[in-house]
Amino acid sequence: MLVNPATGRRAKMSWHAEEALHSVSDLLQRVKGFSGESFYENNGVVRPALYPEIGFDFKRAPEKYNWPEGWIQWLEQEEFTSRFPFFENAHGGLIIGKGATVKGSRYIKLLSQYLEANGLITIYNSKAEYSQTDSGWKIILSSGETAQSESIICATGSSLLKDPNWDFLPMNSIKGQTATFRFNENVPLNSSVSSLGYLAYTSSSPDELVVGSTYEHNFEDLEPNEKGLNYLKDKLNSSLPGWSEKIIESDQWAGVRVSSKDNMPIIGNHPHLKGLYVFGALGSKGMIHGRYVAQKIADYIADGKPINSAISINRFV
Ligand SMILES: Cc1cc2nc3c(=O)[nH]c(=O)nc-3n(C[C@H](O)[C@H](O)[C@H](O)COP(=O)(O)OP(=O)(O)OC[C@H]3O[C@@H](n4cnc5c(N)ncnc54)[C@H](O)[C@@H]3O)c2cc1C
């Protein structure tokens, strides 16, 4: 997965990018220290402008947003092509110095172990339902266990859309597929790439790329499919021409991202039900925003610190 502070076709600086990056970097470092495993690299993101119009927008990005020193640099076509000759179709490009690439499934596993070592109780493979009681909330797990709490945070991703308590929130879910491709030689990159889709690269797996992702607004199931695979091979080829022929092995994954009407996360308390909170709508930015926004809901519940209006549930109440 990419931690990319300059997303979209205008390379817009993501919301509170500096604080959010600091927040996730701190967590990544702690999990690395705990596990002794290198599951991420601060290797930046290179953004080739594969069409002249994209180049026009990218070129303006460094001036348009208030970037911290050294985060972003635009390179004109000649310089970009001499540094990155394998992007045959680039009309210049951006170098985002502050991005990172994370081996997502490994991270989630190690993060769980780290949190468990610090007292978190986790229960897997069990569906949770919840109901209000006189003193708060009761969680009932499909395994039969129950828990009682004053407060409950619903952070159930796309299941929020099916939860009647949150049906007033304007959210939608978009299926996405990624493909992990292994090649018969090392990829000529030293950072990840975000152009039309992304190519996630780490130097510890130099013959491998994770290519993402599809955006499927209408979907019937959550399985990866052939259509997705072909789409992702095309994405690979438009960034690195000829590389789809070098694939020797591929693996696929599919998931759902949830977005709000204004594409910002939603956190806060239910307008009528005391002790019921929501955390969600991270869209495609779970890595850069997840840790930061989680801190904000914790600060709100534990210390009563107000939530920034840009991410507060109040904008939809
Ligand atoms: C193809 C694809 C590629 C992506 N690539 C990137 C990337 O490179 N960088 C990035 O920053 N973001 C990326 N994202 C987005 C990122 O995955 C999301 O922003 C993030 O996962 C949202 O986190 P969440 O915790 O809100 O929801 P989720 O990750 O969906 O987690 C919700 C969890 O709740 C569980 N759950 C739901 N209902 C129940 C229930 N009743 N009982 C118990 N458990 C329940 C679910 O099983 C799930 O584990 C990508 C998304 C997709 C689909």
Side-chain angles (χ1 to χ4, degrees):
M1 302 179 87
L2 295 198
V3 185
N4 180 10
T7 55
R9 66 157 290 173
R10 293 194 168 75
K12 186 177 171 193
M13 184 164 78
S14 60
W15 182 76
H16 286 204
E18 203 169 359
E19 300 95 319
L21 193 72
H22 182 266
S23 188
V24 65
S25 300
D26 169 67
L27 183 61
L28 290 168
Q29 253 170 42
R30 280 189 279 141
V31 177
K32 186 180 174 184
F34 164 82
S35 65
E37 225 180 271
S38 290
F39 57 89
Y40 72 98
E41 293 178 14
N42 293 316
N43 54 1
V45 180
V46 56
R47 303 207 59 191
L50 296 182
Y51 294 108
E53 309 86 68
I54 299 181
F56 177 78
D57 287 332
F58 276 8
K59 189 175 175 171
R60 295 190 325 165
E63 307 303 322
K64 204 168 164 188
Y65 310 103
N66 197 16
W67 295 97
E69 187 66 32
W71 277 42
I72 191 167
Q73 187 190 7
W74 163 256
L75 298 182
E76 293 289 349
Q77 187 166 25
E78 201 181 332
E79 191 182 353
F80 190 83
T81 313
S82 77
R83 276 182 65 175
F84 307 102
F86 33 86
F87 297 126
E88 288 174 20
N89 307 319
H91 299 260
L94 285 169
I95 307 209
I96 316 298
K98 279 293 178 179
T101 307
V102 180
K103 297 194 171 188
S105 55
R106 202 61 204 141
Y107 169 49
I108 288 170
K109 214 160 242 163
L110 297 173
L111 174 61
S112 300
Q113 289 170 9
Y114 169 68
L115 295 173
E116 283 161 5
N118 282 281
L120 182 79
I121 297 168
T122 55
I123 298 167
Y124 295 101
N125 301 318
S126 189
K127 193 171 179 255
E129 285 178 3
Y130 64 96
S131 60
Q132 200 166 19
T133 65
D134 291 342
S135 55
W137 296 91
K138 186 177 183 183
I139 300 173
I140 307 128
L141 296 165
S142 49
S143 57
E145 287 158 289
T146 61
Q148 182 76 31
S149 175
E150 239 176 67
S151 311
I152 170 171
I153 307 171
C154 296
T156 50
S158 60
S159 295
L160 286 174
L161 277 84
K162 292 179 240 146
D163 186 331
N165 283 328
W166 304 111
D167 62 4
F168 64 95
L169 292 174
M171 297 185 289
N172 61 67
S173 55
I174 304 157
K175 177 180 172 183
Q177 300 184 44
T178 61
T180 304
F181 295 129
R182 278 246 326 279
F183 304 97
N184 53 15
E185 59 184 285
N186 287 353
V187 184
L189 297 174
N190 50 26
S191 65
S192 285
V193 178
S194 168
S195 47
L196 302 166
Y198 66 78
L199 315 178
Y201 168 85
T202 54
S203 62
S204 58
S205 307
D207 59 347
E208 204 174 281
L209 282 178
V210 176
V211 181
S213 43
T214 65
Y215 274 79
E216 300 166 51
H217 292 267
N218 300 308
F219 55 91
E220 270 152 28
D221 59 59
L222 281 181
E223 298 305 314
N225 54 36
E226 191 75 21
K227 196 174 162 198
L229 185 66
N230 291 333
Y231 175 89
L232 294 166
K233 280 185 184 167
D234 282 350
K235 291 269 168 215
L236 170 68
N237 241 2
S238 53
S239 291
L240 295 176
W243 276 79
S244 64
E245 278 127 56
K246 298 181 185 182
I247 298 169
I248 50 170
E249 222 175 271
S250 62
D251 194 13
Q252 285 177 265
W253 178 78
V256 182
R257 34 176 118 62
V258 176
S259 295
S260 69
K261 201 164 82 178
D262 57 10
N263 291 319
M264 289 291 283
I266 305 177
I267 59 168
N269 57 295
H270 193 278
H272 314 300
L273 300 168
K274 190 168 174 279
L276 183 64
Y277 300 88
V278 68
F279 167 96
L282 293 165
S284 298
K285 300 194 184 78
M287 280 307 304
I288 192 151
H289 280 157
R291 168 75 178 90
Y292 181 63
V293 172
Q295 183 70 56
K296 298 295 170 201
I297 184 90
D299 289 345
Y300 176 68
I301 297 172
D303 301 328
K305 283 194 192 163
I307 297 173
N308 187 303
S309 57
I311 55 169
S312 168
I313 190 174
N314 290 342
R315 67 197 199 275
F316 302 120
V317 173

